[in-house]
Amino acid sequence: MKRFVLPCVLGLTLLVGCQNTEPKEKVETKQSSEKNQQKAATNKENNTTFPYPNLLAENEQSYSLLVIGEHDEDIPIEKNTKITEKVNDILSLPELEMAQKAYPDLNIKTEPAYILFDQAGVIHQSKDLEELTTFLGKNSPK
């Protein structure tokens, strides 16, 4: 009887000791967070070629916009629904000189200027707000 009980006890001890102690939900959460970190790292690597990654759109379903100078519209650009439908982030700089110092690689020459970005870089540049809204009306984010 001792010959039979001792191997059974040792076998059960090994089985219990080798089990995964983390609950299933915790393992799944850990795996998904690792995937998100890898995805974020590859997005950062893709955006490193553009010198100003802070200007790029956060996702494929929207654009981001850099506005330089004052525009002649009664409605502020942040409240223009034609723009805000497709643009999530709007950065406004009041003077051309500020924009040229902050973003010299964009080679901005005139004021006002409207520069539209997707996740990779500049996709449209305009001096006229109406031209920008026309472009946004014809082109949807990916």
Side-chain angles (χ1 to χ4, degrees):
M1 182 79 173
K2 288 182 183 179
R3 287 183 166 175
F4 180 72
V5 175
L6 187 58
C8 286
V9 171
L10 286 174
L12 286 172
T13 306
L14 285 173
L15 284 175
V16 171
C18 292
Q19 285 185 344
N20 188 358
T21 57
E22 292 184 37
K24 186 176 181 181
E25 293 175 5
K26 193 172 182 180
V27 172
E28 289 174 0
T29 305
K30 189 176 179 181
Q31 289 173 345
S32 65
S33 67
E34 287 174 358
K35 288 179 184 177
N36 289 341
Q37 288 174 349
Q38 289 173 349
K39 195 174 193 181
T42 52
N43 284 344
K44 286 180 183 177
E45 288 172 11
N46 291 342
N47 295 340
T48 55
T49 58
F50 187 73
Y52 312 110
N54 62 316
L55 294 175
L56 299 178
E58 291 178 8
N59 58 50
E60 293 179 357
Q61 289 76 34
S62 69
Y63 296 121
S64 105
L65 179 66
L66 174 62
V67 179
I68 296 134
E70 301 294 323
H71 64 283
D72 299 330
E73 299 293 319
D74 296 332
I75 302 170
I77 197 158
E78 290 83 4
K79 295 189 181 194
N80 185 331
T81 56
K82 292 179 182 177
I83 303 242
T84 56
E85 283 178 351
K86 298 183 180 179
V87 175
N88 280 356
D89 299 318
I90 300 174
L91 173 62
S92 296
L93 296 175
E95 298 175 358
L96 178 63
E97 292 79 25
M98 287 178 72
Q100 289 172 331
K101 285 180 183 177
Y103 307 109
D105 292 341
L106 292 179
N107 296 321
I108 307 162
K109 304 287 184 209
T110 61
E111 181 182 323
Y114 305 94
I115 306 171
L116 193 65
F117 303 89
D118 64 4
Q119 287 187 304
V122 177
I123 58 165
H124 182 77
Q125 190 166 352
S126 173
K127 299 175 192 175
D128 182 36
L129 184 60
E130 190 173 319
E131 182 183 329
L132 174 65
T133 55
T134 303
F135 177 83
L136 286 171
K138 291 179 181 179
N139 300 294
S140 294
K142 296 175 185 172

